[in-house]
Amino acid sequence: MRIVFIAAECAPFAKTGGLGDVVGALPQYLRALGHSVMVVVPRYASIDAARYHLRWAHGPMGVWMGDREEWCAVHVADSHGVPVYFIEHEGYFNRWGLYHDAHFNDYADNPRRFGFLTRAGLQLCKDLNFAPDVVHVHDWHTALGAAYLKIWHWNDPILGGAASLLTIHNIAYQGKYPADHLPYLGLQWGNFTPDKFEDNGALNLLKGGIVYADVVNTVSPSYALETRTPFGGHGLAPYLNAKGEDYFGILNGVDYNTWNPQTDALIPARYSAEDLSGKAICKRELQRRLDLVVSADTPVIGVVSRFVEQKGLHLLAQCIEGIVQHMRVQFAILGSGDKGLERYFGTLPARYSGRIGCYVGYNEELAHWIEAGSDFFLMPSLFEPCGLNQMYSLKYGTLPIVRATGGLNDTVQQYDEATGEGTGFKFDEPSAHAIYYTVGWAVSTYYDRPHHMQRLIRTAMAQDFSWERSAEQYVQAYQRAIHKKRAG
Ligand code: ADP
């Protein structure tokens, strides 16, 4: 099969979250299964061209938008045998932020930027003579690709045979913008109807993508069910339900080349389930690095997260001080985003010296240190399409404390206090109370049932969420999309 990914992120080049991880990893595993894959992403200012050996590939390339022609250049880099093409457009992508400026203000021209990226990705297929069997688009940024194939390219010799798969990594982000972008995006006003792109007078790019895509998936089975309901669907449940069996969940895989305590070059010491002595070193070094009291027998709870409402950190903010006041426990926090949360968590180390460590910012190495050096990993998400950190935590023997939602529910098995079975601690209620008491449960297990801790850690480290299985499920999804396209 020939597959083209068009996406706003691709690790390691440009990533803000799980979308980047998936687009960075899945193509490699598809390639290992014998498929031919290429990836198209923007060339953002933050991408280090020298480090990744970017080289000129094509251009100038003319891209027809709805009402004008735009020009760009195309560079390429190799990612484990997969060509990743970078669309260079000075006006659209030569900025440091992927989606917003330094003050977290969304760029007003985002629909044009990503509409252009999507069109450029399709144009590149034509220019490279790469006739895809499937165009795999991701989130609202490139959801338009599914519509373009049917509206513009249905009889094109290169693109006319391509089916589309749209993956929703987070339905809360839908790409809602004023309708006056429609002509530039090349969507006739006939598409601005409630059954396609129109949403309460605005343009909703994800909605239109769902309607036009041959097949739609999201990143965990539980999240697929949740998004079919009025609350979880953020307004799009009816359109997902209309897809019937052509909407389902495929759990994200983990890139164990990057996230594996036995081989991780970023952490202070390596370790395995058989020999956890390296984990003790990682804990000590983490405590030193974040100015925590160095203590082998005080449990450390790690948090690595975007600071956004979805992650439930405003609930943690309501109970974290109570937790450190009443329990012998430490926190190692890494994150950035909401300025109020940054200020709140960023000032806690000064007030709870040696007990709470916090680094505000994005730091890949520290994320690995926290995974390796913590005893527990807290994710109190209000909703979580898949979540990667809890899967990394399992591999690092760092027991997840999670709200039982979406992918968190699918990947963490509840601790059974009677038997010691399970891999983590789950709670249902999205409240500070529930976080407080579940953290208390985990901490009491640490102190009072060390034999259960050992068993939980061993079971957690034996979990396997490798990409191989997910990649095979994606191949089945592509086959379904192709079948649907041919039948249609
Ligand atoms: P989401 O995609 O919603 O942010 P995921 O758990 O799926 O959540 O993926 C988060 C990814 O981003 C993980 O790889 C995590 O380590 C990383 N990450 C998030 N915030 C930071 C940060 N401040 N520094 C380093 N890595 C981060």
Side-chain angles (χ1 to χ4, degrees), residues 150-163:
K150 291 205 169 117
I151 297 171
W152 284 9
H153 303 295
W154 55 276
N155 65 352
D156 185 276
I158 298 288
L159 296 170

Side-chain angles (χ1 to χ4, degrees), residues 275-294:
D275 178 5
L276 288 167
S277 53
K279 186 164 175 66
I281 297 172
C282 291
K283 179 168 174 175
R284 188 189 67 210
E285 293 307 311
L286 176 66
Q287 288 172 321
R288 283 199 180 132
R289 182 167 176 170
L290 290 181
D291 291 327
L292 297 167
V293 173
V294 175

Side-chain angles (χ1 to χ4, degrees), residues 9 15-22 169-170 173 219 252 259 303-308 310-311 333-337 359-368 371 377 379 381 383-392 408:
E9 301 184 22
K15 165 186 152 181
T16 66
L19 164 64
D21 285 317
V22 173
H169 298 263
N170 190 334
Y173 303 103
V219 290
N252 283 339
W259 296 94
V303 176
V304 179
S305 184
R306 291 183 295 122
F307 286 175
V308 292
Q310 175 205 334
K311 302 293 179 180
I333 301 171
L334 165 64
S336 62
Y359 178 92
V360 173
Y362 192 91
N363 189 321
E364 195 82 27
E365 185 191 70
L366 184 55
H368 284 247
E371 290 288 2
F377 195 93
M379 294 179 75
S381 306
F383 66 94
E384 195 61 76
C386 177
L388 291 166
N389 279 313
Q390 83 282 8
M391 295 196 272
Y392 303 156
L408 299 177

Side-chain angles (χ1 to χ4, degrees), residues 220-243:
S220 72
S222 282
Y223 193 59
L225 291 178
E226 289 167 18
T227 47
R228 284 178 180 272
T229 67
F231 178 73
H234 291 251
L236 297 185
Y239 308 95
L240 294 172
N241 284 320
K243 302 304 274 191

